[in-house]
Amino acid sequence: MKSEQRGVTSPTLHTLPLAPYVSHLTPHILIICLLLITGCGTPQNQPVEFTGPTMGSTYTVTIPVLPEQVSRSGLESQINQILDEINQTMSTYIPESELSRINTSSSTDWISISAQLYEVLAAAQHVSQISNGAFDITVGALVNLWGFGPEPGNQHIPDTRTISDAMQWIGYQYIELQAFPAAVKKRHARTYIDLSGIASGYAADRIADLLDNREIKHYLVDISGEIRSRGRNKLDQIWRIGIEKPLIDRRSVQTIIALDNTGMTTAGDYRNFFVHDGKRYSHTIDPATGWPVSHNLASVTVLDDSAMIADALDTALMVMGPERGYQFAEQENIAALFILADGDNFIQKYTKPFASSLIE
């Protein structure tokens, strides 16, 4: 499960002339965008870009040409309002958020929830079911136990007894949902829900819906590295995205894809980890074992119409590993790119639905 990031430390994704790429610095952001805008037009001809802090990272919304009937300030206000609402609903870092109140509640009765929280929980449970628990929002207790949660700087190897005790409350089956009226029930009072592996994708979808409703035909939405695109960039080209080579010490592009009216997310284990006695421990926790994943799958990129679903699927595939994850993606017809570490080199393989998006 990917962990939410504390603090706003990453630069925004810019659409600047001649800029090859600008990447996010937060550990779980594993993609960079190549927006091939190389013209030298006057300022009024430059794309409109909104950017700011959100979810412990940043967001960027790029619109090549803003329709005359759309107010720039009004649209920016709507974008920030949506992001603020999602953060106040789903953050585990905000004590008074809707999700935090559920996590701190000892009740095993039905708890009323908002429609948007129900939507994300239902999507998460769906991915959990089809992935046989590889994606599991109740793994938050383990994420916290290993030091990758809201309390930074406390990364360590828990003793096996502590992990075993925590595993009693881990399992997506311990969460029940009710649609009308929207409500959630925890079968165990200590079950802790963590939506950091799906909330950013949901936010990208919500902003994309807003832009669609405002009849904006061309845009790129990037919420903490989870992306939705539509239409074309300033050069009338399909948006091009650089997928990062999973290097620990520097930034480089592994491959470039064309993102055509879809969502894209990436998960990986090469930035958010700690080392103990020479062994690296990833922030991606396997819900089945309670331990960080230890295979050679360095990153997974998923394409889907919904960035929310892609966000959950990339975590599931990361947990499954290179063999089982690839087989699952092929079986479920998921567009996925797997980058495997092979000594100092990287090997990439991809499913059939992903092939048509590759540029180089």
Side-chain angles (χ1 to χ4, degrees):
M1 181 68 70
K2 293 174 286 188
S3 55
E4 186 178 355
Q5 301 303 306
R6 175 183 290 275
V8 181
T9 59
S10 63
T12 58
L13 182 152
H14 297 282
T15 55
L16 298 177
L18 302 179
Y21 61 86
V22 179
S23 62
H24 293 273
L25 293 181
T26 48
H28 72 295
I29 305 304
L30 307 171
I31 54 93
I32 49 181
C33 286
L34 295 173
L35 309 183
L36 305 181
I37 301 174
T38 57
C40 298
T42 58
Q44 62 265 32
N45 291 330
Q46 294 300 310
V48 173
E49 181 178 279
F50 304 112
T51 186
T54 191
M55 298 183 181
S57 185
T58 59
Y59 79 87
T60 302
V61 178
T62 303
I63 303 171
V65 179
L66 192 67
E68 292 183 0
Q69 72 273 16
V70 178
S71 162
R72 177 181 179 135
S73 61
L75 182 60
E76 185 173 24
S77 177
Q78 287 181 300
I79 290 171
N80 285 318
Q81 181 179 353
I82 289 173
L83 295 174
D84 288 344
E85 288 176 354
I86 295 173
N87 215 26
Q88 289 295 326
T89 299
M90 303 178 195
S91 176
T92 58
Y93 286 69
I94 300 175
E96 65 274 15
S97 74
E98 185 177 0
L99 184 61
S100 291
R101 291 197 298 270
I102 294 170
N103 283 334
T104 57
S105 172
S106 60
S107 173
T108 56
D109 294 327
W110 288 105
I111 301 173
S112 296
I113 58 176
S114 62
Q116 66 176 354
L117 182 55
Y118 173 84
E119 181 180 358
V120 175
L121 289 174
Q125 291 296 83
H126 168 69
V127 175
S128 294
Q129 290 166 4
I130 65 172
S131 68
N132 196 28
F135 178 78
D136 192 331
I137 57 174
T138 70
V139 79
L142 291 169
V143 172
N144 297 343
L145 188 62
W146 282 88
F148 293 109
E151 297 298 330
N154 190 31
Q155 297 168 345
H156 65 284
I157 301 175
D159 63 74
T160 55
R161 175 71 177 273
T162 305
I163 294 174
S164 179
D165 288 345
M167 291 289 288
Q168 297 180 61
W169 325 112
I170 304 300
Y172 71 94
Q173 303 91 337
Y174 297 150
I175 299 294
E176 295 183 42
L177 291 176
Q178 174 181 282
F180 303 106
V184 64
K185 178 193 287 189
K186 301 189 296 183
R187 292 186 183 177
H188 293 292
R190 294 177 60 183
T191 295
Y192 183 98
I193 300 173
D194 184 343
L195 297 177
S196 58
I198 192 170
S200 294
Y202 172 73
D205 288 339
R206 284 285 307 278
I207 299 303
D209 289 343
L210 168 67
L211 301 180
D212 290 342
N213 290 336
R214 299 301 301 272
E215 298 184 348
I216 297 172
K217 306 298 184 183
H218 308 278
Y219 58 76
L220 187 79
V221 178
D222 171 16
I223 310 294
S224 302
E226 322 303 357
I227 289 177
R228 276 284 302 272
S229 74
R230 181 169 295 282
R232 294 171 175 265
N233 64 19
K234 183 68 174 180
L235 293 182
D236 196 30
Q237 299 171 331
I238 294 173
W239 297 99
R240 296 186 177 189
I241 310 298
I243 298 176
E244 192 176 35
K245 190 183 295 292
L247 298 167
I248 296 173
D249 58 347
R250 63 187 186 277
R251 306 268 169 173
S252 180
V253 175
Q254 172 72 25
T255 192
I256 301 172
I257 68 169
L259 200 63
D260 190 5
N261 298 340
T262 190
M264 167 186 158
T265 68
T266 300
D269 72 346
Y270 59 96
R271 290 270 157 73
N272 196 1
F273 62 88
F274 68 89
V275 177
H276 180 77
D277 288 341
K279 182 177 180 180
R280 191 172 71 178
Y281 293 88
S282 167
H283 75 289
T284 303
I285 308 298
D286 186 344
T289 65
W291 285 73
V293 297
S294 58
H295 46 63
N296 69 329
L297 180 56
S299 74
V300 180
T301 297
V302 173
L303 307 180
D304 192 272
D305 291 341
S306 165
M308 174 175 63
I309 297 299
D311 200 6
L313 285 173
D314 67 24
T315 300
L317 297 175
M318 196 70 205
V319 169
M320 291 180 188
E323 292 81 18
R324 187 160 64 97
Y326 183 81
Q327 292 173 3
F328 173 79
E330 283 282 22
Q331 174 186 325
E332 296 295 325
N333 203 37
I334 297 169
L337 170 69
F338 297 76
I339 302 179
L340 287 68
D342 181 24
D344 295 331
N345 301 315
F346 296 101
I347 299 172
Q348 68 179 41
K349 63 178 183 178
Y350 45 85
T351 58
K352 294 181 180 66
F354 194 93
S356 60
S357 298
L358 286 169
I359 294 178
E360 61 180 57

